[in-house]
Amino acid sequence: MIDSLTVATEAVVQTATVIQESGFVTFMKAFSNLAIPFILFVTLILGFAKKIKVYEVFIEGAKDGFDVAVRIIPYLVAILVAIGMFRASGAMDYIVKLLSPLTNLIGMPAETLPVALMRPLSGSGSLGIVTELINEHGADSFIGRLASTMFGSTETTFYVLAVYFGAVGIKNSRHAVAAGLIGDFVGLLAAVFFCRIVFL
Amino acid sequence: MLNYIWFGLILISLVVGAFTGNLEAVTNAAIEYAATAVTIALGLIGIMAFWLGIMKIAEKGGIIKLLSKAIKPMAKILFPNIPSDHPAIGTMLMNIVANWLGLGNAATPLGLKAMDNLQELNPKKDTATNAMVVFLALNTASITIIPMTVIAIRQELGSANPFEIISTAVLASTCACISAVIAAKLLQRTPWAKKSDPNRKDIAEKSEVKND
């Protein structure tokens, strides 16, 4: 049992080194940069080959852009106002104090708890906290690396929910919030787990 | 659920704000963020229009259908209620790939187009279907391959190796994504979620349950 755990840990650490040294980043960046030109090229060539009036069809589709953006407004106002008020009230400090005994249990530095709590609520807010932590503790400290991993590993759940459901006018989101928050929570635990393996 | 969270956030803000003397800041934040929301939404117009235009060409050119067919087996597991040649599958795939590649500007418009396609299949237009919730799970807990924003910050603040968090972020985000999808799939079986399911008659049929 312990043997297999050691082997697994070893494998994760080795994969991490391979990913960092193999030029994977350069490859992925190049791939990302080419993805959009590639999509445009294929779409237009195929459309043209099928004798589609590409310009007219483009206009027809693009017309909806304004409507979608406007439809999102009430949803985004509702979510962002609540989150803005919450941030301004200073309630986060109390929640951090309340939860900090738990962070020690999972080997998570209490300093990174605000990142975890803010991440699903606000992208700019949590990025601000990450920047502060890196400034204070250094980018290559354990806290700096963990905070970076936490930020990099999930999305701003409430923003995504507001925009996606808002765009089609869905008011009852059913279990979407719960599923999203479970994802965030597992992501947070996994960030702590993998950072401890790779960086400690 | 959003009802309770929204109510809770505002109530906590007001109560804590009153106790700590931050009440003025709380009020100002409400006004400021309401304006920010509009700025963000209006900022989407151009990029939305662009991608919706391109997607219309892709749809008419048959690319979306082609993509839908290509991931048929995977789509059947994740979205059993969506016909496998429906354009929703193709647009969702494009959104997910854009997310993984870190193309945020393209991912959101593609995702909203996918929601639009999913909405075509929704018999109750103001309530999320199971497929929508699974799709949202894939987006709120998206797999990250290169977390560019945070890498840029690390670089700026003098990290010796700003990229070293890629491996941990990939692993953690994969765990987050898988668990969010599993959570969505498990939660849709709870009586609470079943009661509000827009497709609930289909789900109640035993043959459907077996196919799941």
Side-chain angles (χ1 to χ4, degrees):
Chain A
M1 179 64 195
I2 290 169
D3 269 2
S4 59
L5 204 68
T6 330
V7 172
T9 311
E10 198 70 353
V12 170
V13 175
Q14 268 173 17
T15 320
T17 342
V18 170
I19 286 175
Q20 275 152 34
E21 289 169 1
S22 63
F24 170 78
V25 176
T26 327
F27 170 76
M28 278 307 300
K29 268 191 186 163
F31 195 68
S32 297
N33 287 338
L34 285 175
I36 288 177
F38 176 77
I39 293 172
L40 296 182
F41 181 78
V42 173
T43 308
L44 287 178
I45 291 286
L46 270 181
F48 203 75
K50 288 206 167 178
K51 298 208 166 54
I52 291 171
K53 291 181 176 140
V54 282
Y55 177 76
E56 283 161 44
V57 172
F58 178 90
I59 301 286
E60 195 189 316
K63 262 194 279 186
D64 294 333
F66 183 78
D67 287 340
V68 173
V70 171
R71 231 179 299 152
I72 296 168
I73 292 176
Y75 294 82
L76 213 50
V77 168
I79 285 289
L80 289 192
V81 163
I83 288 167
M85 289 172 74
F86 183 73
R87 280 181 60 188
S89 72
M92 186 62 91
D93 298 338
Y94 293 97
I95 295 178
V96 167
K97 266 185 207 145
L98 212 73
L99 291 179
S100 54
L102 293 176
T103 57
N104 294 329
L105 282 179
I106 56 168
M108 172 180 160
E111 290 90 333
T112 57
L113 185 56
V115 182
L117 293 176
M118 190 57 90
R119 189 68 187 100
L121 297 175
S122 160
S124 58
S126 51
L127 190 62
I129 300 171
V130 172
T131 312
E132 262 169 51
L133 285 177
I134 291 180
N135 254 331
E136 196 178 324
H137 299 273
D140 301 326
S141 63
F142 181 66
I143 290 177
R145 286 160 163 169
L146 177 57
S148 308
T149 302
M150 280 175 178
F151 183 87
S153 57
T154 67
E155 296 289 322
T156 315
T157 301
F158 284 97
Y159 170 80
V160 174
L161 288 172
V163 170
Y164 278 50
F165 282 139
V168 290
I170 297 259
K171 281 178 271 182
N172 184 353
S173 55
R174 294 173 67 227
H175 49 300
V177 183
L181 290 180
I182 288 172
D184 290 335
F185 183 67
V186 173
L188 154 79
L189 293 183
V192 174
F193 177 75
F194 289 119
C195 280
R196 288 187 70 89
I197 288 180
V198 176
F199 299 128
L200 276 189
Chain B
M1 184 159 182
L2 219 42
N3 275 320
Y4 296 106
I5 293 178
W6 195 71
F7 171 78
L9 279 174
I10 293 185
L11 192 74
I12 290 172
S13 315
L14 291 175
V15 171
V16 174
F19 273 104
T20 55
N22 284 342
L23 216 44
E24 203 188 327
V26 173
T27 323
N28 289 339
I31 297 162
E32 189 189 314
Y33 274 76
T36 308
V38 177
T39 315
I40 293 176
L42 293 185
L44 281 172
I45 295 176
I47 192 80
M48 255 336 280
F50 173 71
W51 277 107
L52 288 178
I54 295 295
M55 289 300 280
K56 197 78 169 186
I57 302 176
E59 218 171 273
K60 291 215 166 162
I63 297 176
I64 308 287
K65 276 221 164 127
L66 221 69
L67 287 175
S68 301
K69 273 186 195 151
I71 53 155
K72 209 169 161 177
M74 190 66 196
K76 272 217 156 126
I77 300 170
L78 284 175
F79 307 104
N81 285 331
I82 298 183
S84 54
D85 59 344
H86 194 273
I89 303 284
T91 44
M92 285 195 284
L93 176 67
M94 289 181 78
N95 157 267
I96 289 160
V97 173
N99 258 328
W100 288 2
L101 294 178
L103 307 170
N105 275 338
T108 308
L110 293 171
L112 299 188
K113 177 74 190 163
M115 287 301 281
D116 198 41
N117 288 333
L118 288 173
Q119 185 74 317
E120 288 163 19
L121 296 166
N122 187 357
K124 207 170 164 229
K125 300 294 180 200
D126 66 343
T127 306
T129 58
N130 288 342
M132 286 178 178
V133 176
V134 172
F135 179 56
L136 258 291
L138 283 167
N139 266 283
T140 58
S142 164
I143 292 178
T144 315
I145 299 179
I146 300 186
M148 233 24 251
T149 320
V150 79
I151 288 173
I153 297 248
R154 293 172 58 78
Q155 202 148 28
E156 223 176 270
L157 297 179
S159 169
N161 182 2
F163 297 101
E164 72 189 343
I165 53 113
I166 287 180
S167 59
T168 48
V170 170
L171 290 168
S173 67
T174 307
C175 292
C177 188
I178 293 172
S179 54
V181 171
I182 292 176
K185 286 277 180 195
L186 290 179
L187 287 170
Q188 78 188 30
R189 290 160 181 258
T190 59
W192 165 66
K194 271 189 182 167
K195 212 171 73 185
S196 54
D197 187 351
N199 293 307
R200 78 199 234 204
K201 270 174 206 148
D202 316 21
I203 282 174
E205 273 170 28
K206 274 183 187 162
S207 60
E208 282 273 332
V209 175
K210 270 180 198 161
N211 287 337
D212 250 19

